[in-house]
Amino acid sequence: MAVLKILVYPDPRLARVSQAVTVFDKELCKFVDDLEATMRAGPGGVGIAASQVDVLQRIVIVDVSSKPKISSHGRLVLVNPQIVVSEGSLVGREGCMSVPDYTGNVVRARTIQVVAQDEFGERQEYLCEGYEARAVQHEIDHLDGLLFLDRLVSRRRDLFRRKT
Ligand code: NI
């Protein structure tokens, strides 16, 4: 497995829209392994999108199981993910491996139903809540070229510099 290089804001490549995955082969599985290694190498990495390592394919990985006291599915590999139902809204703090110096408050749906394929091309469906739902929404945004910075209600009030 390899740890891949993460694009960092304001790199304009982060704003590109990713394409659907159509080929499910060994190469895809190897890339998913590398993407997961890259996520786990980052401090507090709970999610990553392929576009963050300059691969424009609709692939994200989320694993929030390291956070205490929340329910989750563990490791989620979402290929061609689609949010088919979203309910409620919740403000919460987000960070991003591509925006290392800041966190921000973002409004997200509280509960989502996601349909996706796994790395083998099998259709999967997940009901996600709270922090896991937030992470999935954040990562899917990356596939559409959006960062949490694009979702802040106010840059002045909702953006926070990380303590170094
Ligand atoms: Ni991110």
Side-chain angles (χ1 to χ4, degrees):
M1 279 191 290
V3 173
L4 307 170
K5 190 178 180 312
I6 296 262
L7 301 180
V8 174
Y9 177 84
D11 193 311
R13 288 174 289 181
L14 287 165
R16 294 177 303 175
V17 175
S18 298
Q19 304 298 308
V21 174
T22 54
V23 178
F24 293 83
D25 57 6
K26 272 192 182 155
E27 206 177 313
L28 177 69
C29 290
K30 185 191 174 301
F31 173 69
V32 166
D33 283 348
D34 290 347
L35 192 61
E36 182 174 358
T38 307
M39 176 183 85
R40 299 203 187 278
V46 295
I48 193 167
S51 56
Q52 290 180 273
V53 297
D54 204 18
V55 172
L56 290 181
Q57 300 221 68
R58 300 190 78 84
I59 304 166
V60 308
I61 303 175
V62 169
D63 186 349
V64 299
S65 59
S66 62
K67 298 275 172 183
K69 293 181 196 165
I70 53 164
S71 64
S72 83
H73 293 90
R75 172 186 180 274
L76 277 181
V77 176
L78 305 174
V79 179
N80 301 327
Q82 277 189 298
I83 296 173
V84 292
V85 178
S86 58
E87 285 176 353
S89 71
L90 211 56
V91 177
R93 192 69 72 91
E94 296 185 15
C96 179
M97 294 171 90
S98 294
V99 189
D101 297 336
Y102 292 89
T103 61
N105 283 335
V106 180
V107 181
R108 301 283 187 188
R110 183 188 296 263
T111 307
I112 56 170
Q113 192 178 342
V114 188
V115 174
Q117 286 160 289
D118 60 23
E119 64 266 57
F120 310 106
E122 297 295 324
R123 184 185 187 278
Q124 308 288 344
E125 206 169 317
Y126 303 99
L127 190 64
C128 302
E129 298 182 330
Y131 191 75
E132 184 178 53
R134 172 173 302 278
V136 169
Q137 290 168 84
H138 174 116
E139 299 311 332
I140 292 177
D141 264 358
H142 277 298
L143 304 181
D144 294 317
L146 293 173
L147 299 173
F148 77 81
L149 299 172
D150 301 307
R151 297 251 185 217
L152 300 173
V153 176
S154 156
R155 280 220 172 203
R156 195 163 56 83
R157 282 184 295 110
D158 298 323
L159 189 61
F160 308 92
R161 196 168 241 294
R162 278 191 199 273
K163 296 181 186 79
T164 48

